[in-house]
Each structure stands twice: as structure tokens, then as C-alpha cells.
Amino acid sequence: MRLILFLLFFISTLSLVQGQQKPAQRDPYLQNSVKNQPQQLRPEDKVKIIHADYIKKDPAKYDGNQYLQGNVKIEHQGSILTADEVVLYSEENFVKAIGNTRLQNTDDSVITAAEMEYDGNTQKGVARKNVVLTDPKQTIRTDILYYDRLSNQAYFNTGGTISDGENVMYTKTATYFLDTKMIDFVGNVKIDSKDYIVEGANIKQNQNTKVAEFFGPTTITNRANPKNRVYTERGTYKMNSKEAYLNKNSKIFYNDKILTGDDMYYNQITGFGTATGNVTLDDPQERRWIKGGYGEIFEKKDSAMMTKNPYAVKAFEKDSIYFAAEKIISFQKPDTADATKKKSFLRAFRKGRFYKSNAQGRADSIAFNETDGVMHMYTEPILWSGQKQVTGDKVEAYFNTTTQDLDSLKVIGNAFAISKVDSLNLKDEFNQVKGKLMTVYYQNNDIKEAKVIGNAQSITYADDFNEKTKENERIGISLTSCGIIDAIFEEKAIQIVSCNIGATSDTYPMSKLEPEKRKFPDFNWNTKDRIMKWQDILVDTPNHEEIKYEADNTLYNQAQEAVEKEKAKEEAKKPKRTRK
């Protein structure tokens, strides 16, 4: 747009006014350094009067300056000014237009106002009262518009609107750069479109590219769902494609969730967004947040993914559960039982770890149904609880959704539960139960009972209370095998309460059972990878120093020595034969 509000680059072609003329009363914006001095003009710089009903001068009116009235039409270098009345300050190269003023420029831009002023020396102009500037890109409405032809800028600071047919911008102060079609909004601005509302401070928008740049706190709000919005303090927004590039203190609010990061991207049409650096995905309704180095969100699928050392925290009333893996995915799905509700899910892929005060675990992948409190652990799962360890091909953990406590476990395939006999010492003594399938029940946040089905076997240490010493004394070790085992876990022992289908059970004194038979061949007590505190999940393995347990084989060794001595005695009694 060649918005040439040059409102009359004006040196009158009429004869000079006779008599003394007073200088024009100017807007402060139009004061010039050679105040009101006559200028030497080239013929081509002079304005042509095309039409006027009357050409007048009156010493009592307009300080004796000449004025035109009635359908005034003036042309200068292709631009046409029309007005009801025009006052010519010929010696100052200055003009005032009054009543229904309209400036038509060669680039098809038009300014209309009640009044206009223009200084041909500085090439600056002012339009007042109901000012409307239109060009092929937008329409500007304000009360006072300032124009500088040399810098090709239009400016207002009394409040106004800018409309481009799709968006309406409300602001107090704005500068329009006619060459680049850039609008610089200073202070608070509101951009109102059919689908979104942009509100912020210090925004620049290119009317050619429809790209807005943000240099202060700015919010982009979804009109249909105001809770879905974007906030940033430095960023770029493509108005046509609805893409936001966010670079400072930015947040994306969607589906009651909040994504933050150092550098972010969000497409409001597709609902896809990314964040890089110090990324957090907060879900206040689930009381869960996920952190990592890189994240993606899929608003329409209500899902998100986090990578680069991600971890998730879900807060309960009295506890929290922590997850970590190489990749964490969260998503929601409609509840099949109630379409008005959603269920939340969390997935931890590759080297999954979790920590809770009463249970910790590792597996190649972990799937957690947050709504129903069900956790699935796949591929080499291992779960710890106190001084107890459970492994299998697959582990399913069930949490009480009211108390958030662990209620039970299902171990499917190669189920193996190990319990340290006495956690207060370093004796190499472990109670063990194994089989094809196992259900583990918890009480007061500790393993209480295990039911094993299919090739059930156990190795348990048996103690008896001595009434004289008032202490437990070791009786021996029981080896049990049957189709189904039901075992109760006590503080320092496992009590086999039932053993059905092909049951065999023997208790051996400590002196009679070989040390290698006190553990199953696949015994796998793991202290190196055990998660002791929540920070341990932030690495692949905490790599604890392996605990060295002390084998108590004294009674067995003494018995073996006694046997060997008896054998030696018997051997000594045999007659010695000598070969002749």
C-alpha cells in the first residue's frame, strides 16, 4: 500500500494571498525545524487543484489564508484528496482539509476522516475523528492517525482496531510499516479471530505473511474451549496455519493438562505439540506429572510421550509412586462403563523402573492403569517389598484405589518369591516359594500370603520356640513339593498352611542338608539393581555393591567331620593285606 497521506504535498498554483497571513496552528507532531518558512518547490512538487465550487479568502477567516469550498478535489503525483473544505497555507507548504476528507492513493489505499493536516516540508500528516485507513491487507480505525511519508509509517496511540477480514486487533498504540506491511503493537493488544483470541503486550504482526511475533506475556485462547490455551513471553505465531513457536516461559494448556519447556511448538489445528529442554507435562486432575528432555503431545488422541531421561510422579494422599524408563507415554480413553468418564494410563518402555515406599520394581516395560490401579510388568520383571523379592515371566500388581496401597500380585510363569529369613543379619538364609502361577496378598503394606499353583515348591527354614530360653531355635529346613502351595509369610519365616496334589514334604536338620540344596538352582536374589529410594529410578541401575552373605554351615560341617571320622575308624578296623 502506498498510503500517501501526504495530504496535499501542497504549494498552491494560485496567486499568493495579498496581505499579511498568520502561520497555521499545527498538531505538535507536525512542528518542523524551519518553522513556517517559505520553501522553494519544483513545479512537479506542486499540488494541482482539480475542482472546487468556491475559492475564497477572508481576513477574518483562517487568519487570512486562502481556502477552497464545495466538492474540493486536489491531485498530487497520482493521489487524490477530496473534502468539503481545504485551507491552503501556501508559504508554509501546509494544508488543512475539513469535512468528509478522503485520500485515494495510487496503491489503492484510502484514508477517510473528518479532518486532515499535512506538512509538505516534513512529509508528515495527521488525520482526526473517525479515521479509517483501508488497503488490500486490512482496515485501521482510530480517532487520530499520524503518518510519515519519508519513513512510510502510520501510527496511532489513542486506541483503535485493525481488521484483515479474518482477525480484528484491538490496541491502544500501533505503528504500521507500509512497505513491509508490519504492524508493531506497543502495550496490551487483543487479536480476535473466529477460533482463537490472542492477548498480550508488545506484538508485531506481518500482514503479508500473517505471522505474529510476541515480545511480552501473551496468551492464545481457544474460543470454543477457553481452558485450551497457549502462554508465552517470547514466541512466533502463524495466524493462517495456527502454529505457535514458543521460546520463553511458555505453557500449553490442553485437556486439563499443562506442557512446559524451554522451546516449544504447537499446532492448534492438529493438536500436535513438542517441547525441548526442561520439559514437564502436568496433569492436575490425575495428580501426576512427567519430566524429561523432550516431549510430544497429541491433543486429539489425548496422549503424550516423553523421552531423554524421562520420569513420572503420581501423588497419592500419603505417598507417591515414581516411574522412569527410556520412553514414557501417557494417554486417556473413554470408560466403557461410563462414556462421560475417562480412564488414565501410563506406559514406561525399555528399562522401566518404579518406586513406591512399600514396593519397588523393574521390568523391560511397565503398563499402569492409573484409574483402576493395575500395573503390568513385562519381560524379566522383578519386584521388591521389604526384604522380599518376587520374579516371574509377567507380574500384575493391584493397588487399592482408595488407600493407594498395594493389595496383591499375580505372577504368571516361573513365579518365584524369596524372603530373607532375618533382615537383621547377613546370614545366607532365604525362604523360597516357586511355581508356574503365584498370587501374592499384601497386608499392612507387606507380603502376607502366597498361593502357588503348578509344580509348587518351597524351601523354608523351620524354627521352634524354646520355653526355657524364650527364644526361637532352628529345627531345620523343610523341602516341600506339591501341586498347590498356600504359604503365610511371617516376620522371619514362611508357614506352609496347605500343600495339595501329590504332596511331599521333608524337614532336614541343619546338619543333614547340603548347603547347595538350601537354594533352588534358579535362585536370583538381586541387591545390585534394587531400588532403595526414588532417585534410584533416574539411572538404569543404582549399581549397589553386592551384599556378601555369610553361609552358616557349622552344623553340617561338624556332621560331615563326624561322618568322616567314623569312616576312618571303620577303615582302620579292616585287616591290612600285604601283597607277597
Side-chain angles (χ1 to χ4, degrees), residues 124-293:
K124 293 181 178 180
V126 179
R128 294 191 188 86
K129 299 179 182 178
N130 300 321
V131 181
V132 179
L133 183 159
T134 59
D135 72 1
K137 296 298 180 182
Q138 74 278 303
T139 299
I140 298 176
R141 299 178 184 275
T142 186
D143 286 335
I144 301 177
L145 182 71
Y146 303 93
Y147 174 71
D148 186 334
R149 186 188 175 210
L150 291 178
S151 60
N152 224 14
Q153 298 177 15
Y155 167 80
F156 64 84
N157 61 5
T158 55
T161 65
I162 303 174
S163 174
D164 59 10
E166 295 181 357
N167 309 299
V168 179
M169 290 146 269
Y170 304 86
T171 183
K172 181 178 180 181
T173 303
T175 300
Y176 182 42
F177 298 85
L178 286 79
D179 291 335
T180 62
K181 300 298 185 289
M182 180 71 74
I183 302 175
D184 187 353
F185 301 95
V186 179
N188 295 329
V189 60
K190 178 180 179 181
I191 303 175
D192 200 345
S193 68
K194 177 171 63 73
D195 299 317
Y196 297 94
I197 299 173
V198 180
E199 295 177 285
N202 302 330
I203 297 176
K204 290 184 178 180
Q205 178 169 313
N206 189 305
Q207 294 298 79
N208 280 332
T209 63
K210 289 296 186 293
V211 174
E213 295 181 80
F214 309 135
F215 299 90
T218 305
T219 303
I220 307 171
T221 304
N222 185 315
R223 183 181 290 277
N225 185 0
K227 291 193 298 183
N228 285 11
R229 61 194 187 278
V230 172
Y231 172 85
T232 188
E233 294 178 10
R234 180 71 175 90
T236 302
Y237 183 56
K238 296 182 178 180
M239 305 291 289
N240 289 337
S241 61
K242 302 296 187 293
E243 293 176 283
Y245 300 83
L246 317 172
N247 309 115
K248 181 181 178 182
N249 297 332
S250 308
K251 298 180 180 181
I252 299 173
F253 298 80
Y254 77 102
N255 300 344
D256 299 314
K257 302 170 184 64
I258 307 167
L259 180 70
T260 61
D262 293 342
D263 292 290
M264 304 174 69
Y265 164 82
Y266 184 58
N267 187 314
Q268 292 177 309
I269 295 176
T270 64
F272 173 72
T274 66
T276 304
N278 299 305
V279 182
T280 300
L281 177 61
D282 189 6
D283 189 338
Q285 290 190 352
E286 285 295 328
R287 302 183 65 188
R288 185 250 298 130
W289 58 94
I290 308 173
K291 292 181 176 289

Side-chain angles (χ1 to χ4, degrees), residues 511-554:
S511 61
K512 297 294 185 181
L513 188 63
E514 298 93 322
E516 58 270 19
K517 291 185 178 180
R518 298 175 187 181
K519 295 177 182 176
F520 290 117
D522 52 349
F523 180 87
N524 60 353
W525 183 255
N526 187 333
T527 58
K528 174 177 174 289
D529 299 324
R530 176 160 188 177
I531 299 167
M532 306 296 292
K533 56 185 184 298
W534 83 263
Q535 290 86 349
D536 287 345
I537 69 170
L538 300 180
V539 293
D540 177 24
T541 172
N543 200 25
H544 297 304
E545 184 177 353
E546 289 280 8
I547 298 175
K548 304 299 183 182
Y549 293 100
E550 301 172 357
D552 186 2
N553 301 326
T554 304

Side-chain angles (χ1 to χ4, degrees), residues 390-391 409-418 432-441 447 449-460 480-489 494-501 520:
V390 176
T391 59
L409 300 176
K410 282 186 179 180
V411 188
I412 303 169
N414 296 306
F416 198 163
I418 304 173
Q432 304 152 61
V433 181
K434 61 179 297 187
K436 289 184 177 180
L437 304 174
M438 182 185 298
T439 302
V440 180
Y441 300 95
I447 293 177
E449 181 181 358
K451 187 171 184 179
V452 186
I453 301 175
N455 296 331
Q457 303 173 68
S458 69
I459 298 175
T460 58
T480 304
S481 177
C482 52
I484 300 175
I485 287 179
D486 194 356
I488 299 295
F489 284 74
I494 291 180
Q495 179 184 355
I496 305 300
V497 295
S498 67
C499 183
N500 303 314
I501 308 175
F520 290 117

Side-chain angles (χ1 to χ4, degrees), residues 24-26 85-87 89 94-98 116-118:
Q25 298 298 314
R26 299 163 173 255
E85 188 172 42
V86 173
V87 183
Y89 297 86
F94 185 80
V95 63
K96 287 186 177 181
I98 304 167
M116 292 187 187
E117 296 181 25
Y118 182 73

Side-chain angles (χ1 to χ4, degrees), residues 364-391:
D364 183 68
S365 62
I366 299 173
F368 185 38
N369 182 330
E370 299 176 78
T371 305
D372 296 337
V374 181
M375 182 191 301
H376 299 264
M377 303 174 67
Y378 302 94
T379 310
E380 298 182 355
I382 180 169
L383 186 142
W384 297 276
S385 179
Q387 289 297 308
K388 302 175 180 65
Q389 174 186 293
V390 176
T391 59

Side-chain angles (χ1 to χ4, degrees), residues 243-365:
E243 293 176 283
Y245 300 83
L246 317 172
N247 309 115
K248 181 181 178 182
N249 297 332
S250 308
K251 298 180 180 181
I252 299 173
F253 298 80
Y254 77 102
N255 300 344
D256 299 314
K257 302 170 184 64
I258 307 167
L259 180 70
T260 61
D262 293 342
D263 292 290
M264 304 174 69
Y265 164 82
Y266 184 58
N267 187 314
Q268 292 177 309
I269 295 176
T270 64
F272 173 72
T274 66
T276 304
N278 299 305
V279 182
T280 300
L281 177 61
D282 189 6
D283 189 338
Q285 290 190 352
E286 285 295 328
R287 302 183 65 188
R288 185 250 298 130
W289 58 94
I290 308 173
K291 292 181 176 289
Y294 175 78
E296 294 181 356
I297 60 171
F298 306 85
E299 178 185 335
K300 294 183 179 180
K301 293 182 179 180
D302 210 352
S303 66
M305 179 271 292
M306 194 80 70
T307 61
K308 294 186 178 180
N309 303 315
Y311 70 93
V313 183
K314 184 175 179 64
F316 298 133
E317 290 296 332
K318 299 180 181 180
D319 198 1
S320 295
I321 186 169
Y322 302 79
F323 294 90
E326 292 185 1
K327 178 190 293 185
I328 294 179
I329 294 176
S330 67
F331 59 94
Q332 290 185 313
K333 288 185 175 181
D335 189 338
T336 56
D338 186 349
T340 63
K341 296 181 179 180
K342 289 185 176 181
K343 287 190 175 184
S344 296
F345 301 86
L346 191 76
R347 300 283 188 267
F349 290 101
R350 292 187 296 275
K351 300 180 180 179
R353 291 92 67 187
F354 84 89
Y355 172 88
K356 195 174 182 295
S357 62
N358 65 320
Q360 307 84 41
R362 306 170 59 85
D364 183 68
S365 62

